[in-house]
Amino acid sequence: MEGEAARVYIGVEYDCLLVSCSVDTDETYLGRYAYLTLRAMMRSGYCDFQPYYWPACFTLGNKRSSYVDVVKKPGGITIILKKKFSGLFRPGDKLPDVTERTVVPRERLRDKYVMARLAPVSIGYCFANTDLQHFHSNHYPFLVPYVFAATAYLKTVKSFKRFVFNPHDVEGISLSPQQEELNSICFAMKQIAAIRFSANSHLPETAAKINAINDANQLALFKLWHKALPLLMQQRFTHYFYTYGLRNVSGKPVMRDMKLVEFAMEVPVLSFILKDEGDYYELLLKLRVKGKLLQLNTDQPGLFLVCERSKPYLWYLLEAEMDYKLVWFFSRVNFRVQVPKGYYREFFEGFVEGVEKWYEVKRG
């Protein structure tokens, strides 16, 4: 008769890996079954325990966890956050920097501004965007001009001719002084839009250098967006193009990929709500424009820009680097972060206090 199966238990805590088994492992001795399990998990010489790292998320006894679900599979187990806790914070998770909030100056529109004149063949501007979390989506949001042919009454675009990357691409087309200036801004954006990668980025000095270049380009692009926005408001045709990577921004725009969009001068204002939910705290991010709450569209995050779920064609430009970094961070966790109380004071309270220096934080 076969004996009862041996069980091995692994717990990944904040500062230690706990291993035990149902036979003979104790605080002084690593038993055979625990050893064989660890050896199997580290068959390549190492094992990343990050997928199992959910400290303070499990209860003792047979109670189910409030925060995670443990799914058993033939190859092992998978730990999945419950939908309500998609923003659960763990010690060691990277938080946005909240040391200083610097507003980027933005030229304001005059009460009356002149829209650019149209011709049968004219120029428009495209918001080139993509998902920064995908490896092949290798650029920050930027603007690129395009040449198009208009319909008979100059009401809509009949066809797109080409993207514009230098002054030679618009020879023979009459441009306003505002379009000349906007084109120069777009060309400058294109030069620094690409995100740097390196095969040697695992080396600390190489990774640090690449990150520094990317951060500098990101901030420079953000400032260029502020220069471009008032000029962009004067253009009759502006489009949105989800690129799937910088390599696709070339040649002739495809009609089905180009979506009409508008830009607004109003500035979104960030605020936060900190709630006591019993076993954990929850920090929520809210955005408002002229006092009205925005329900953000998370299907197409624009890093520097945001749009409302009910109006995905209307984009607002954020006014500070800290603003867009906070919005980007919170947009990936459904705009709310949960922190178990055992970790709040040591690992999260300083972040909330930093946020409170620059934004309204209501406690509820």
Side-chain angles (χ1 to χ4, degrees):
M1 181 177 177
E2 294 185 4
E4 184 180 352
R7 294 179 179 272
V8 175
Y9 308 96
I10 294 176
V12 186
E13 293 299 315
Y14 162 61
D15 55 358
C16 62
L17 174 66
L18 304 177
V19 183
S20 184
C21 74
S22 60
V23 181
D24 55 357
T25 295
D26 59 25
E27 66 272 12
T28 63
Y29 175 75
L30 184 66
R32 179 172 181 267
Y33 297 106
Y35 165 74
L36 290 174
T37 299
L38 288 174
R39 191 178 73 170
M41 294 180 74
M42 297 189 290
R43 58 184 176 273
S44 299
Y46 67 92
C47 179
D48 183 3
F49 285 92
Q50 187 73 7
Y52 308 99
Y53 174 57
W54 297 103
C57 290
F58 297 97
T59 55
L60 296 175
N62 295 323
K63 287 186 177 180
R64 289 184 177 273
S65 170
S66 301
Y67 304 106
V68 299
D69 288 320
V70 179
V71 181
K72 297 179 181 179
K73 295 184 177 180
I77 63 169
T78 302
I79 300 174
I80 303 172
L81 278 173
K82 293 185 177 180
K83 187 175 181 180
K84 181 181 178 181
F85 297 103
S86 60
L88 190 70
F89 173 82
R90 299 174 293 181
D93 285 352
K94 185 172 175 57
L95 295 168
D97 185 6
V98 291
T99 56
E100 185 176 357
R101 181 179 183 269
T102 303
V103 173
V104 177
R106 181 186 307 180
E107 182 181 337
R108 297 297 174 185
L109 283 172
R110 299 176 183 176
D111 292 337
K112 293 183 179 180
Y113 59 92
V114 180
M115 295 293 287
R117 292 183 178 181
L118 280 182
V121 176
S122 192
I123 191 170
Y125 295 87
C126 176
F127 170 16
N129 192 30
T130 196
D131 186 347
L132 298 180
Q133 296 188 76
H134 292 165
F135 178 78
H136 292 294
S137 302
N138 54 351
H139 70 83
Y140 297 118
F142 69 102
L143 287 167
V144 56
Y146 57 82
V147 175
F148 70 93
T151 54
Y153 295 97
L154 309 183
K155 296 287 187 182
T156 59
V157 172
K158 181 173 68 176
S159 63
F160 293 100
K161 299 295 184 182
R162 59 187 176 275
F163 284 118
V164 174
F165 302 113
N166 57 66
H168 299 296
D169 291 336
V170 289
E171 287 181 351
I173 299 175
S174 178
L175 301 177
S176 68
Q178 292 82 5
Q179 288 174 329
E180 295 275 9
E181 183 180 357
L182 186 51
N183 285 357
S184 297
I185 295 172
C186 293
F187 300 155
M189 283 185 169
K190 178 66 164 54
Q191 290 181 355
I192 58 175
I195 298 175
R196 303 290 185 93
F197 296 98
S198 171
N200 297 320
S201 60
H202 62 282
L203 300 175
E205 62 277 10
T206 305
K209 185 176 180 180
I210 291 172
N211 289 337
I213 294 172
N214 283 335
D215 289 344
N217 287 345
Q218 190 181 103
L219 181 57
L221 266 169
F222 182 54
K223 292 177 178 179
L224 288 172
W225 268 100
H226 280 264
K227 288 184 177 181
L229 184 62
L231 300 168
L232 203 57
M233 297 288 294
Q234 301 177 43
Q235 307 308 311
R236 290 185 180 271
F237 284 97
T238 50
H239 282 77
Y240 175 92
F241 173 35
Y242 188 88
T243 68
Y244 295 97
L246 194 60
R247 65 192 182 280
N248 296 320
V249 187
S250 63
K252 178 180 177 181
V254 178
M255 180 70 77
R256 67 174 179 273
D257 295 334
M258 301 285 279
K259 312 298 182 184
L260 276 170
V261 292
E262 299 174 11
F263 297 89
M265 289 296 293
E266 290 83 6
V267 177
V269 176
L270 280 66
S271 64
F272 294 83
I273 301 173
L274 182 65
K275 293 183 177 181
D276 186 337
E277 298 288 0
D279 294 335
Y280 62 93
Y281 290 105
E282 185 171 64
L283 184 66
L284 293 83
L285 169 65
K286 302 288 185 182
L287 274 86
R288 287 179 170 82
V289 171
K290 299 174 72 172
K292 181 184 176 183
L293 185 66
L294 287 183
Q295 299 293 335
L296 291 189
N297 182 7
T298 56
D299 292 337
Q300 48 186 33
L303 190 59
F304 313 130
L305 301 99
V306 296
C307 65
E308 193 169 10
R309 192 179 304 152
S310 61
K311 297 179 180 179
Y313 57 86
L314 181 61
W315 290 86
Y316 299 90
L317 180 63
L318 298 162
E319 69 172 358
E321 181 183 14
M322 189 190 298
D323 289 3
Y324 78 72
K325 289 189 173 181
L326 283 168
V327 171
W328 172 250
F329 173 81
F330 276 85
S331 69
R332 289 177 289 167
V333 292
N334 197 27
F335 299 99
R336 57 188 66 210
V337 173
Q338 301 85 26
V339 187
K341 284 189 173 178
Y343 295 115
Y344 178 81
R345 184 176 295 277
E346 183 177 358
F347 298 103
F348 202 78
E349 188 174 45
F351 174 73
V352 175
E353 290 173 349
V355 166
E356 206 164 15
K357 291 179 181 178
W358 306 103
Y359 306 95
E360 178 187 27
V361 178
K362 293 182 179 179
R363 285 170 163 78

